[in-house]
Amino acid sequence: GVRSEHEFFAELCATLEQVTQVLVTGGRTALADFRHYVTKHRPQAVRHIAGYEVVDHPTDKQLLAEARGYFDRLERLAQPADRG
C-alpha cells in the first residue's frame, strides 16, 4: 500500500543522509515512485542521489558493475577536458 511504500521510502531517505552519493537502481515504476517521493517529501535527500538507473533483477556482480561504470562516467564528466 501507499502508506507502507512511504514508510519504506522514508527509511531509505534516512539512510541516504549517511552517504555522500548513491546510485538508485530498480524497476521503472519503483524508481519513478521513489523519485516523486523524494522530490515532494524529502528534497534534502536529493543532494545524496547521484542518479537513477533502471535495472531489473541484476545479480550482485551486475549491480556492482553498473555502479562502477556510472560513477566512472560521472567522474570523467567532472574532469576538465585536456586542451593539449
Side-chain angles (χ1 to χ4, degrees), residues 27 41 59 76:
H41 300 286
T59 65
R76 281 194 305 274

Side-chain angles (χ1 to χ4, degrees), residues 8-84:
F8 177 68
F9 290 165
E11 289 178 29
L12 285 177
C13 288
T15 301
L16 290 179
E17 295 294 325
Q18 301 170 25
V19 298
T20 304
Q21 287 190 315
V22 65
L23 174 64
V24 181
T25 64
R28 188 171 309 281
T29 302
L31 283 181
D33 291 348
F34 181 65
R35 192 176 207 161
H36 175 78
Y37 175 85
V38 170
T39 303
K40 184 174 181 180
H41 300 286
R42 298 288 184 100
Q44 71 279 12
V46 170
R47 64 189 165 118
H48 298 280
I49 300 171
Y52 297 87
E53 289 289 324
V54 175
V55 294
D56 288 317
H57 309 291
T59 65
D60 289 347
K61 287 182 181 183
Q62 289 170 326
L63 190 56
L64 184 57
E66 179 71 30
R68 282 185 177 150
Y70 184 89
F71 283 107
D72 284 347
R73 288 187 303 276
L74 198 62
E75 188 175 313
R76 281 194 305 274
L77 288 172
Q79 294 175 354
D82 184 11
R83 307 250 183 232

